Amino acid sequence: MALHTSADAPLPVGEVSRLIGGWIDRLGAIWVEGQITQLSRRPGAGVVFLTLRDPSYDISVSVTCYRQVFDAIADVVSEGARVVVRAKPEWYAPRGQLSLRATEIRPVGIGELLVRLEQLKRSLGAEGLFAADRKRPLPFLPQLVGLVCGRASAAERDVLENARRRWPAVRFEVRNTAVQGVNAVAQVVQAVKELDGLPEVDVIIVARGGGSVEDLLPFSDEQLIRAVAACRTPVVSAIGHEPDAPLLDLVADVRASTPTDAAKKTVPDVGEELDRVQGLRDRALRTVRGLLDREERGLAHALARPVMERPHRMVEERDAEVAALADRSRRVLRHLLDRADSELSHTRARVVALSPAATLERGYAVLQRPDGTVVRAPGDVTAPEELRARVAEGEFTVRVVAE
């Protein structure tokens, strides 16, 4: 029911607490899952106090139960264990505090955990967080490596020692966090975000030694998976040993079977790189030598050709060809001139033989009137007409007389 209040007509704190308690009392019993973070079992006390926490969202709620309820699972449940609780919400009015009154507590078994992990795996996989095309390659030679691991842990020692043995100049930015328990998820997520925010960090390694399924649960937490998926820096997962497979392995850019393997995959080995460089130098030297040998053989073959031994031989051959062509041209031209001269002599002789002058030289004469017309018949002239007679040596005038 909505309350009508104002600054002039406020409700007392006690009334507000009473109303909240009334609303909560109307709530029925519910099943709640969480992780036990604090457990108080005072000797002789009939009530057990514990805190139930959701590590993914960093939210806790107080739980109380009768000793006989907790004694039923006391042998298999301790701080850090995951449990399912049937409880009814209660409101403690004097302190304004919400708590749960548990009537039944069940530990979460390994089988149930694996089923839930499989469901979470499928859900995140459907979102594409495990897709291969999201994987980024690691830098060849990282200058600064971010490392998230437990304080003074074997995983930290393995990564640092193996990496520095492989490449002594490599530097690390280490973030020590809880790697199991109720605070692990929040601390690991915070460390990953801090390292991802440093622009000089080239790659991030999240490392932990082996452990039970419960111990490795923080590295399958949805909050951590999403934080790693949002990183701009490549992330290497090195959790547990080869058989262990937390969900962090699927979202990370590179999965290492052990922390030692993470160091090997992240940092190159200086000895191997020197050997590789030397091998490349030897290969390049062999290639250059082979090229030079091939070119030398080609040059020797070219120099052995006759044209290279006697460079003027081709000119001499062409000079002889030109001389032969010139002689042939002269002979042909001389032959053509001789033939033309002979033909000209014959033509001249025919012309001379057929010319009018030759006829005149044989004693003939040509009679022409004063206007230059030639007299061809006796009837063409009359007496006493004067004509001009042309002979071989000249011309003279004649007169026609009657017979």
Side-chain angles (χ1 to χ4, degrees), residues 388-403:
R388 188 174 66 250
R390 183 177 179 182
V391 294
E393 298 298 331
E395 60 181 26
F396 53 88
T397 304
V398 296
R399 180 174 293 175
V400 180
V401 296
E403 291 183 359

Side-chain angles (χ1 to χ4, degrees), residues 3-162:
L3 298 177
H4 300 285
T5 62
S6 67
D8 297 329
L11 287 177
V13 173
E15 181 65 15
V16 173
S17 180
R18 185 187 66 80
L19 291 173
I20 293 176
W23 293 332
I24 292 177
D25 285 339
R26 287 195 294 269
L27 297 176
I30 57 175
W31 286 97
V32 182
E33 180 187 358
Q35 190 174 24
I36 298 176
T37 58
Q38 294 179 355
L39 178 61
S40 177
R41 299 174 63 194
R42 296 179 182 179
V47 177
V48 176
F49 299 89
L50 53 94
T51 300
L52 204 60
R53 182 173 181 271
D54 186 343
S56 298
Y57 298 96
D58 198 17
I59 297 176
S60 301
V61 64
S62 297
V63 180
T64 61
C65 66
Y66 291 113
R67 176 174 290 275
Q68 58 267 27
V69 174
F70 188 82
D71 286 346
I73 47 91
D75 295 337
V76 294
V77 169
S78 60
E79 288 190 4
R82 283 182 174 266
V83 294
V84 176
V85 177
R86 177 176 172 80
K88 185 179 185 305
E90 291 184 345
W91 179 256
Y92 185 59
R95 294 184 181 178
Q97 181 177 1
L98 175 69
S99 64
L100 298 176
R101 171 71 67 172
T103 58
E104 185 179 354
I105 301 176
R106 297 180 183 179
V108 177
I110 298 299
E112 294 174 303
L113 287 177
L114 294 178
V115 169
R116 295 180 186 180
L117 288 179
E118 184 64 26
Q119 292 173 347
L120 180 59
K121 175 181 175 181
R122 292 179 181 177
S123 174
L124 298 177
E127 295 183 28
L129 299 186
F130 305 150
D133 56 2
R134 295 185 69 257
K135 309 296 183 183
R136 291 159 295 186
L138 300 183
F140 167 70
L141 182 58
Q143 300 300 312
L144 183 62
V145 178
L147 175 61
V148 180
C149 58
R151 186 179 302 276
S153 61
E156 178 181 5
R157 183 177 62 253
D158 290 345
V159 172
L160 296 180
E161 290 183 358
N162 283 280

Side-chain angles (χ1 to χ4, degrees), residues 189-204:
V189 169
Q190 180 63 27
V192 169
K193 290 182 177 179
E194 287 182 5
L195 294 174
D196 187 52
L198 299 177
E200 60 270 19
V201 173
D202 298 319
V203 63
I204 299 174

